[in-house]
Amino acid sequence: MTTLFQLHANINNLKALIKELGTLWKPGDSILLLGETCAYYSWAKAYIDDINHDDESEYQIANIKGWYVLSEDINALNDSAKINLDLTGITALTDADWVQLTQDVERVVTLDSTT
């Protein structure tokens, strides 16, 4: 069963959210970074690497099928966030693309630590 994990976190909560993701992860799942989280793509990858290389961690986040962001979320970032944004290896989606992606997976799980 493939899952699209939609992550919505600020930088202060991202690491904890990635740890939570590790408890739910199955190889072949995908990740969509929502809202301001799209600006933290490199941080998310670094936190995943930390989990994967931690000998004490019970979980691995491996074989990520795809990384995604919404185009409108990128456009909503302030100019300084956009300057340093490296989206290499990530797919920007329109709303229609996002709807199609949700139809192509078996479940969608949103992890939100912004509230």
Side-chain angles (χ1 to χ4, degrees), residues 1-90:
M1 174 172 10
T2 59
T3 301
L4 172 64
F5 287 99
Q6 301 182 137
L7 306 183
H8 194 208
N10 59 41
I11 193 64
N12 296 325
N13 299 327
L14 183 60
K15 189 172 189 172
L17 198 70
I18 294 293
K19 285 183 179 183
E20 183 179 348
L21 174 65
T23 66
L24 303 169
W25 188 261
K26 302 282 188 257
D29 289 343
S30 298
I31 299 172
L32 170 65
L33 303 175
L34 293 172
E36 73 177 277
T37 314
C38 70
Y40 310 131
Y41 171 58
S42 60
W43 284 98
K45 289 190 333 183
Y47 292 148
I48 288 170
D49 285 343
D50 286 349
I51 287 172
N52 290 344
H53 292 97
D54 181 355
D55 293 336
E56 295 179 13
S57 176
E58 299 174 36
Y59 310 105
Q60 291 272 310
I61 300 174
N63 300 323
I64 300 170
K65 182 176 182 183
W67 283 91
Y68 304 95
V69 295
L70 297 176
S71 297
E72 69 183 50
D73 290 341
I74 294 169
N75 294 334
L77 294 174
N78 65 39
D79 290 338
S80 63
K82 289 179 188 178
I83 289 172
N84 297 317
L85 192 60
D86 178 10
L87 296 177
T88 305
I90 199 163

Side-chain angles (χ1 to χ4, degrees), residues 78-108:
N78 65 39
D79 290 338
S80 63
K82 289 179 188 178
I83 289 172
N84 297 317
L85 192 60
D86 178 10
L87 296 177
T88 305
I90 199 163
T91 302
L93 304 173
T94 64
D95 285 343
D97 295 331
W98 172 77
V99 169
Q100 183 58 52
L101 180 62
T102 64
Q103 301 302 307
D104 293 340
V105 296
E106 288 147 311
R107 67 183 182 155
V108 177

